[in-house]
Amino acid sequence: TTGGNQTVPLENNTPVENPLQLTIHFIYPDKITRGKNFEMKARITNFGEMTKNLLARWVLTDNFEVISANLIKSCGNLDTGKSCIASLVIRPSLSTPLGNNTIKMEVGYETN
């Protein structure tokens, strides 16, 4: 069966816990400039039982262009206390609104 999807908004660069016993910690530059490439990472850590076939998917608005990487990261089986890093290089368009913008990640896995 599928463990479900969890969307975690990018806020304050702090780990966000969810009911799946996973945390997602986003890592990104302090300053992001429209039209300029930047790297974004997400560290997914499992604090529950082993997950099988964990997949993480970046969810971007139309204002962001993927420069390199895939939007889906396969973490395989993730044991308790282990982490997986998903990263990509993206570019906000010149029409991206100033201020806070949201980049999300969906995570799913198989359960026993």
Side-chain angles (χ1 to χ4, degrees):
T1 61
T2 300
N5 289 329
Q6 179 69 32
T7 301
V8 180
L10 171 64
E11 293 177 359
N12 300 326
N13 200 23
T14 58
V16 179
E17 293 193 36
N18 61 48
L20 301 176
Q21 297 185 16
L22 300 170
T23 62
I24 301 174
H25 181 83
F26 293 99
I27 304 160
Y28 53 93
D30 290 336
K31 182 178 180 182
I32 297 168
T33 304
R34 293 185 291 182
K36 302 286 183 181
N37 297 355
F38 70 96
E39 182 177 27
M40 182 153 184
K41 295 180 182 181
R43 182 175 53 239
I44 305 146
T45 304
N46 179 17
F47 290 101
E49 295 183 17
M50 184 186 80
T51 63
K52 295 181 190 174
N53 301 319
L54 189 137
L55 292 176
R57 182 172 72 92
W58 293 98
V59 181
L60 306 173
T61 65
D62 291 339
N63 294 324
F64 293 92
E65 176 187 357
V66 176
I67 303 302
S68 67
N70 293 320
L71 291 178
I72 298 175
K73 167 71 175 181
S74 173
C75 295
N77 298 338
L78 200 59
D79 286 326
T80 303
K82 298 295 182 184
S83 296
C84 175
I85 302 284
S87 65
L88 75 165
V89 175
I90 54 180
R91 178 186 310 135
S93 72
L94 294 176
S95 62
T96 301
L98 295 175
N100 293 331
N101 287 276
T102 301
I103 295 175
K104 299 178 183 179
M105 176 165 277
E106 295 177 341
V107 176
Y109 61 91
E110 296 177 20
T111 58
N112 291 332

